[in-house]
């Protein structure tokens, strides 16, 4: 029974993780192919300037929902055999696996930062708080999203290794961390070479210096 439930959880979670949030939101809300924006920090900056904070919130909200649904289902299904915590952790692992390596897109995935943040809430609240806190601190200091995500994930793995008693759950969290490190393998190389781009969001105010600004002319 346990093996069957784990297979069901894996199928559901991987399928949800494989859904491309940018592609879906392109048609549902933005009415354009936002994949035209590159997935590096320059592309993210362009997207924010074009669609504003509302667009980012919608995109992140959809990504969070895409994670919360399968992870919640995973916990409920495994509750049948009395192991909801294993269900949450295993579902999170499968969601991240699907996000990073979706079979529908030839295993070329998307960042799993939101998936890890949302899914870890079901696994352990202190795990999530630790990861978010470290991510924010590292980002404020460095302005590197990739570096912040890597260090935050490593810290979450450390917290899991030190605080989680159940071996299966702890190992699933560590395996999820391995997936995140594999995901950022290219960023790690760029960081060592000093070629990784920082993420800055500055409101464009150059229009204020146009000659017709404030004259009412259009």
């Amino acid at each position: 029974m346990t093996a069957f439930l784990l297979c069901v959880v894996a199928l559901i979670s991987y399928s949800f993780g494989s859904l491309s949030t940018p592609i879906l939101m392109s048609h549902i809300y933005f009415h354009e192919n936002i994949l035209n924006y590159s997935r590096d920090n320059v592309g993210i900056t362009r997207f924010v300037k074009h669609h504003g904070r509302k667009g980012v919130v919608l995109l992140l909200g959809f990504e969070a929902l895409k994670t919360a649904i399968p992870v919640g289902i995973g916990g409920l299904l495994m509750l049948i055999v009395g192991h909801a915590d294993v269900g949450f952790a295993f579902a999170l692992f499968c969601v991240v696996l699907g996000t990073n390596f979706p079979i529908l897109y030839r295993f070329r995935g998307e960042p799993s930062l939101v998936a890890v943040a949302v899914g870890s809430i079901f696994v352990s609240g202190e795990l999530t708080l630790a990861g978010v806190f470290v991510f924010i601190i590292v980002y404020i200091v460095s302005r590197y999203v990739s570096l912040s995500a890597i260090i935050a994930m490593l810290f979450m793995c450390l917290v899991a290794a030190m605080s989680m008693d159940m071996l299966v759950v702890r190992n699933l969290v560590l395996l999820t961390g391995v997936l995140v490190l594999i995901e950022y393998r290219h960023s790690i190389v760029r960081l060592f070479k000093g070629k990784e781009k920082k993420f800055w969001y500055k409101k464009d105010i150059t229009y204020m210096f146009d000659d017709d600004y404030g004259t009412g002319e259009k």
Side-chain angles (χ1 to χ4, degrees):
M1 183 65 174
T2 301
F4 172 75
L5 290 174
L6 287 174
C7 289
V8 174
V9 172
L11 179 61
I12 294 174
S13 301
Y14 182 84
S15 298
F16 268 84
S18 298
L19 295 175
S20 174
T21 303
I23 291 177
L24 291 174
M25 293 302 291
S26 293
H27 300 287
I28 295 174
Y29 181 79
F30 300 114
H31 306 298
E32 66 166 325
N33 185 4
I34 64 175
L35 292 181
N36 292 330
Y37 301 95
S38 61
R39 298 181 183 180
D40 57 15
N41 292 335
V42 174
I44 296 172
T45 304
R46 287 178 55 226
F47 176 81
V48 173
K49 287 183 177 181
H50 191 175
H51 295 288
R53 295 178 181 177
K54 182 180 178 181
V56 175
V57 169
L58 285 170
L59 196 66
L60 294 179
F62 193 87
E63 185 73 23
L65 189 64
K66 189 186 79 171
T67 300
I69 291 175
V71 174
I73 292 175
L76 290 175
L77 287 176
M78 288 302 293
L79 184 60
I80 297 175
V81 291
H83 292 294
D85 46 358
V86 175
F88 291 138
F90 183 63
L92 173 59
F93 170 78
C94 293
V95 168
V96 174
L97 181 64
T99 302
N100 291 347
F101 307 103
I103 191 172
L104 294 177
Y105 300 103
R106 298 180 180 179
F107 303 104
R108 298 180 62 183
E110 300 165 359
S112 59
L113 185 61
V114 177
V116 172
V118 174
S120 62
I121 296 175
F122 293 84
V123 179
S124 170
E126 65 178 10
L127 197 67
T128 306
L129 289 175
V132 171
F133 177 77
V134 172
F135 179 89
I136 293 174
I137 294 300
V138 176
Y139 175 72
I140 291 175
V141 174
S142 69
R143 295 296 174 176
Y144 287 115
V145 174
S146 56
L147 179 64
S148 304
I150 292 168
I151 295 180
M153 190 69 245
L154 289 174
F155 192 77
M156 290 174 71
C157 289
L158 178 62
V159 172
M162 296 177 61
S163 64
M164 290 186 170
D165 297 327
M166 183 170 286
L167 181 62
V168 176
V169 176
R170 183 169 69 239
N171 288 342
L172 285 170
V173 172
L174 296 178
L175 286 173
T176 302
V178 171
L179 287 178
V180 173
L181 292 179
I182 293 174
E183 170 193 348
Y184 283 101
R185 62 192 183 280
H186 300 303
S187 295
I188 293 173
V189 174
R190 289 195 297 269
L191 285 167
F192 275 110
K193 292 183 178 180
K195 296 182 179 180
E196 182 74 342
K197 297 175 182 177
K198 297 183 179 182
F199 174 62
W200 297 90
Y201 173 64
K202 296 181 179 180
K203 186 174 181 180
D204 185 5
I205 59 173
T206 55
Y207 66 90
M208 297 177 64
F209 300 97
D210 293 343
D211 293 336
D212 60 350
Y213 176 72
T215 64
E217 298 179 9
K218 294 184 179 180

